[in-house]
DNA sequence: CATGACGGTATCCTTTTCGACACTATGTGC
DNA sequence: GCACATAGTGTCGAAAAGGATACCGTCATG
């Protein structure tokens, strides 16, 4: 089980910052949330949008987001299984945060696929 | 060495979000930045503000932040060593991001030391 | 009968992260 | 001579995160 890690934040002021980070941290959560801002998606729709994420990891991240009350999981009792994920109001309230992250990232993060060739 | 982990982000749009997260993620970085927004601080001043962080971890986080160009490290060649940390312009540009995180956290993160008693 | 889509689990393993602890150098105060 | 303060470094080990891979049940299709 992914373990809830936001049990205590007794460090100092500014820790709600860390607290928020614990919600959206986790390799794929930011991207998942980002895609869900567009609207409700099925499991495999999300998968296809994040090809580098393994099925196991995606399930993990979704479960944690769900446990944190950020996304809702709706299961349809159909025969080819159908599960839809959508943001809860709480999840949607993260939009300004994600937006702030994206704005800074667009300005400051270099998405350079060719950098990794340096060692060759 | 802390290893730079922002080598590639080829996953999908929204990944600058992840990119930004890689900069401010890391257990204590958010708090360190938060305290540095107040102004320049010496090593032990930061330590005292974040008692739960070990010396080694603090050094680590500061080194990573420095390597990422977010903070500046100024060493005074004095005899009781004196090192001052301050934000670079790039680091300061993170302020809206940290602020967004803090706003959400203040509203949504429960700093509840008593919640962890649930299992008892 | 075999295959594929769907939405997962279970298991294993590697990498990364984090914390504890000891140790360093230099100078001051006792 | 001893302890203390500053600002670290080094090593060790536990724990967590992440990735690879295989497997599950069900129904439709070929």
């Amino acid at each position: 089980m992914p373990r809830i890690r936001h049990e205590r934040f007794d460090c100092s002021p500014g820790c709600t910052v860390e607290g928020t980070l614990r919600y959206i941290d986790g390799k794929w959560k930011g991207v998942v949330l980002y895609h869900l801002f567009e609207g409700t998606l099925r499991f495999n729709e999300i998968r296809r949008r994040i090809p580098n994420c393994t099925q196991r990891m995606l399930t993990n991240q979704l479960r944690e987001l769900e446990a944190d009350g950020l996304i809702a999981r709706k299961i349809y009792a159909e025969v080819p299984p159908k599960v839809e994920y959508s943001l809860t109001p709480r999840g949607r309230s993260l939009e300004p945060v994600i937006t702030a992250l994206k704005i800074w990232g667009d300005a400051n993060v270099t998405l350079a696929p060719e950098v990794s060739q340096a060692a060759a």
Side-chain angles (χ1 to χ4, degrees), chain A:
Chain A
M1 211 175 309
R3 181 89 23 252
I4 310 294
R5 52 281 176 77
H6 353 92
E7 305 157 347
R8 317 193 304 132
F9 299 108
D10 51 353
C11 30
S12 66
C15 264
T16 55
V17 173
E18 290 297 323
T20 307
L21 281 176
R22 294 297 159 262
Y23 281 96
I24 59 184
D25 177 31
K27 192 101 190 221
W28 305 105
K29 285 192 189 173
V31 201
V32 170
L33 287 173
Y34 185 84
H35 286 294
L36 284 180
F37 283 131
E38 294 173 19
T40 299
L41 290 174
R42 301 183 54 174
F43 184 82
N44 274 354
E45 288 176 331
I46 303 177
R47 268 201 82 185
R48 277 188 285 270
R49 277 172 171 71
I50 318 176
N52 297 359
C53 181
T54 62
Q55 193 169 25
R56 181 169 119 35
M57 277 314 292
L58 183 55
T59 307
N60 262 345
Q61 304 290 290
L62 289 169
R63 288 294 181 282
E64 289 194 28
L65 290 168
E66 192 194 359
D68 288 339
L70 300 178
I71 64 173
R73 181 154 168 268
K74 184 168 179 186
I75 306 159
Y76 294 83
E78 299 178 0
V79 143
K82 176 176 173 182
V83 180
E84 280 183 351
Y85 291 93
S86 58
L87 291 170
T88 61
R90 181 185 174 90
R92 194 160 292 282
S93 74
L94 270 173
E95 197 154 10
V97 176
I98 303 286
T99 303
L101 288 167
K102 178 153 174 52
I103 289 172
W104 193 90
D106 285 346
N108 293 276
V109 176
T110 326
L111 307 185
E114 67 279 9
V115 189
S116 45
Q117 310 298 332

